Amino acid sequence: MRKLHGACLCGAVTFSLDDDFSHFYLCHCDQCKKLTGSAHASNLFTQPHNIRWEQGEQAIVRYNHPTRTFSNAFCGQCGANLPYLSQSGKALIVPAGSLNEQPSKSPDCQIFCDEQAPWHQAGMLTKHLPGFPE
């Protein structure tokens, strides 16, 4: 099984896991937009035990919504999203952007599309640049 590595933005937290994911969703729900500050969350789902924290696990901050069953985990230093165990304990949720390598699994589907930000579709139609505009 291929091993993947991941980290937060500042490198304080690092981890590794097997490239073994059951689902890959791009979620447009209002909560995921707030949690990521973006158009959608890009989350991979795997077995709860499929992670090895290499360093910095103590720097992880976890947020559990008080009335809903969603959570978020992030580096307490840089704020980057990190893997976390679902509140049910049945899945490890891995933000795709936290991985250093490309997972073999492609997105299965986009979910909660009725809550999609109106500017997201318009943004996908704009010019694509390799970096900052000149």
Side-chain angles (χ1 to χ4, degrees):
M1 177 73 54
R2 182 172 160 240
K3 189 69 78 178
L4 298 175
H5 302 87
C8 63
L9 182 61
C10 71
V13 181
T14 60
F15 61 91
S16 61
L17 42 67
D18 290 335
D19 186 12
D20 182 23
F21 300 103
S22 58
H23 305 289
F24 188 174
Y25 299 134
L26 305 181
C27 183
H28 294 273
C29 80
D30 291 335
Q31 292 78 31
C32 284
K33 289 186 297 195
K34 291 284 186 190
L35 287 172
T36 64
S38 188
H40 59 78
S42 303
N43 290 324
L44 293 144
F45 290 72
T46 187
Q47 295 298 313
H49 62 274
N50 183 20
I51 192 159
R52 178 174 176 203
W53 296 105
E54 305 288 345
Q55 71 177 24
E57 186 176 5
Q58 71 283 356
I60 299 171
V61 177
R62 182 182 173 109
Y63 169 76
N64 293 320
H65 192 277
T67 61
R68 309 255 327 259
T69 59
F70 69 86
S71 302
N72 190 29
F74 53 92
C75 173
Q77 293 182 43
C78 68
N81 287 346
L82 291 164
Y84 61 92
L85 189 62
S86 65
Q87 285 190 33
S88 69
K90 295 180 180 177
L92 180 72
I93 300 166
V94 181
S98 69
L99 296 173
N100 297 342
E101 300 95 14
Q102 172 96 14
S104 60
K105 182 150 190 60
S106 296
D108 294 309
C109 61
Q110 298 187 51
I111 59 176
F112 291 93
C113 292
D114 286 350
E115 298 176 33
Q116 184 176 44
W119 46 263
H120 181 250
Q121 288 296 333
M124 298 307 294
L125 301 175
T126 62
K127 185 187 308 185
H128 291 70
L129 303 173
F132 282 116
E134 294 184 17

